[in-house]
């Protein structure tokens, strides 16, 4: 169960009020005794739990994001090739299942303008916090400027998109239930999945994405994962553990 937003004593109260208002998060006067909640401290916003799992947060400045920024492999990365980055070409991208924004940040690092769509208020608040911190850091400010967060249902947002501003690429990396076959899912990310929920309507999202993209739709899947929806991709880029299914636009 998710309870809401708790601001620690050292947190910026105005920032807590702003997050609660924009993402419709209940304000908490004390940490709950069970379940999950967002905790705002003096440095960042975290998804925490009474069960002892590690905190979940989005970060574009340090840790894995910094390593990817400095040693990520450039345009040779599988996701970059799937998106269509080649030479000086930098497609505009809508990441319709933004999550914690890792692939979106990687694409923005390579020079793409990226719109991050996230319908979960919890994930959207974590992304907003990460973008604010990235915008204030000299090493990532220019990258953050290429990233725009939209808190909305992706299928509805894509369907209502003005044809004049259609993106080159719509990128999908939907979240699915843990099959129990892999130990890769860490306890903290399991907590994130419990709160955010699975993208059980991802097949419908492919249809909406194909109607919005100008050049291609890219779906990231486990290498042996089932296709999304009924349509077969026009091509696939298959790696050791992940594959990218590429679909042509429907208009």
């Amino acid at each position: 169960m998710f309870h809401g937003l708790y601001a620690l004593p050292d947190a910026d109260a105005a920032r807590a009020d702003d997050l609660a208002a924009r993402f419709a998060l209940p304000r908490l006067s004390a940490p709950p005794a069970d379940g999950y909640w967002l905790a705002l401290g003096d440095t960042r916003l975290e998804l925490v739990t009474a069960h002892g799992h590690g905190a979940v947060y989005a970060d574009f400045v340090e840790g894995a994001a910094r390593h990817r920024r400095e040693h990520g492999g450039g345009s040779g990365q599988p996701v970059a090739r799937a998106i269509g980055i080649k030479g000086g070409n930098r497609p505009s991208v809508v990441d319709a299942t933004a999550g914690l924004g890792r692939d979106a940040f990687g694409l923005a690092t390579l020079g793409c303008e990226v719109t991050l769509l996230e319908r979960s208020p919890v994930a959207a608040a974590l992304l907003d916090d990460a973008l604010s911190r990235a915008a204030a850091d000299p090493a990532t400010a220019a990258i953050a400027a290429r990233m725009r967060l939209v808190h909305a249902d992706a299928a509805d947002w894509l369907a209502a998109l003005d044809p004049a501003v259609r993106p080159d690429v719509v990128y999908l990396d939907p979240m699915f239930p843990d099959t129990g076959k892999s130990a890769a899912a860490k306890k903290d990310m399991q907590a994130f999945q419990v709160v955010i929920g699975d993208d059980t309507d991802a097949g419908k999202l492919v249809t909406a994405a194909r109607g919005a993209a100008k050049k291609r739709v890219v779906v990231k899947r486990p290498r042996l994962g089932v296709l999304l929806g009924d349509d077969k991709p026009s091509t696939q880029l298959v790696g050791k553990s992940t594959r990218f299914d590429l679909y042509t636009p429907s208009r």
Side-chain angles (χ1 to χ4, degrees), residues 5 12-25 27 38 40 45 121 124-126 128-129 132:
L5 171 66
D12 182 335
R15 172 67 172 157
D17 289 340
D18 177 62
L19 287 169
R22 287 196 292 124
F23 300 109
L25 299 167
R27 285 293 303 273
L38 287 170
L40 179 66
L45 181 70
L126 292 171
D128 183 86
D129 182 67
S132 295

Side-chain angles (χ1 to χ4, degrees), residues 106-163:
L107 294 172
T109 299
L110 294 173
C112 294
E113 297 286 337
V114 185
T115 298
L116 296 82
L117 302 183
E118 181 50 60
R119 64 182 171 184
S120 163
V122 174
L126 292 171
L127 284 170
D128 183 86
D129 182 67
L131 284 169
S132 295
R133 286 183 278 115
D137 190 286
T140 53
I143 301 172
R146 291 191 287 270
M147 302 170 70
R148 178 174 72 104
L149 173 64
V150 177
H151 176 37
D153 180 272
D156 293 341
W157 189 89
L158 290 168
L161 193 61
D162 185 340

